[in-house]
Amino acid sequence: MKNVGLIGLGAMGLGMAQSLRRAGYHVHVYDVRVDATRTFADEGGVACGSPADVGSRCEVVISAVVNAAQTEQVLFGAGGAAAAMPRGSVFVMCSTVDPNWSMAMEQRLAAMDLLYLDAPMSGGAARAASGQMTMMTSGRPEAYARAGELLDAMAAKVYRLGDRAGNGSKVKIINQLLAGVHIAAAAEAMALGLREGVAPEALFDVITHSAGNSWMFENRMPHVLKGDYTPLSAVDIFVKDLGLVLDTARATKFPLPLASTAHQMFMQASSAGYGREDDAAVIKIFPGIDLPG
């Protein structure tokens, strides 16, 4: 199988498609932005006019859209992929979603004789482009048999977390709990430094060589130092993802005090008009500081 489909050429999806092409696959792509699809086709991919067009040409279709609603549109909306996919082919779902939704989707596609992999991803655009991202997956052995090599072509780490959908999405939202809390904490620390008159570049240098460092501090605070909030991952992504975290915990009455606070911080930033800015813009909720740039 050398034909593979990928829907959603955003920050992560484009890198995934490039990794697949480097691995020798004929990559058929669709994105609502026609220019993104054409650009990828000019570089050696195959442009498709709809998700159904992708589905009819490929035995594995990978979806790298934003959320569950967009995934349902890809599958079952006008020109959706599900009805066009050959029986026994595989749909690989890479979005961050409610684990219960993912489990239900596996059953819904099974009724159409389609296989499903719950396969959310992490690592950012640079790691997606280099094939070094992480995938947290779960699904039936038959789905892995058809799509496992594709996962390995896109990711340095492919974790197989169970033989049914759900565990992949559970682990992903736990990862997002930590990611969101770490970004919020990094912004709070940098904001305090600015309020106290510490040179932000010096603070960044010290923290990144000290025990208080985190991957998110080291990755996101340069955006603050440059005053560049071009979205690589937006504030509203963490409004959504931390909301999923809290919904999952609420179902079993499990307390998440840090995640709750971080969620409120991102909500505040979004309400202030920063929802489409980079998630480092959560620092803008702090009063009385002069931000770089």
Side-chain angles (χ1 to χ4, degrees), residues 173-183 216 242:
I173 65 168
I174 293 167
N175 179 79
Q176 293 306 91
L177 183 161
L178 289 166
V181 168
H182 287 172
I183 294 168
M216 283 300 188
L242 287 173

Side-chain angles (χ1 to χ4, degrees), residues 106 116 137-142 144 160-167:
E106 181 181 53
Y116 175 85
T137 73
S138 57
R140 297 178 185 275
E142 310 93 275
Y144 282 115
R160 299 189 178 195
L161 301 166
D163 61 3
R164 295 291 186 275
N167 279 355

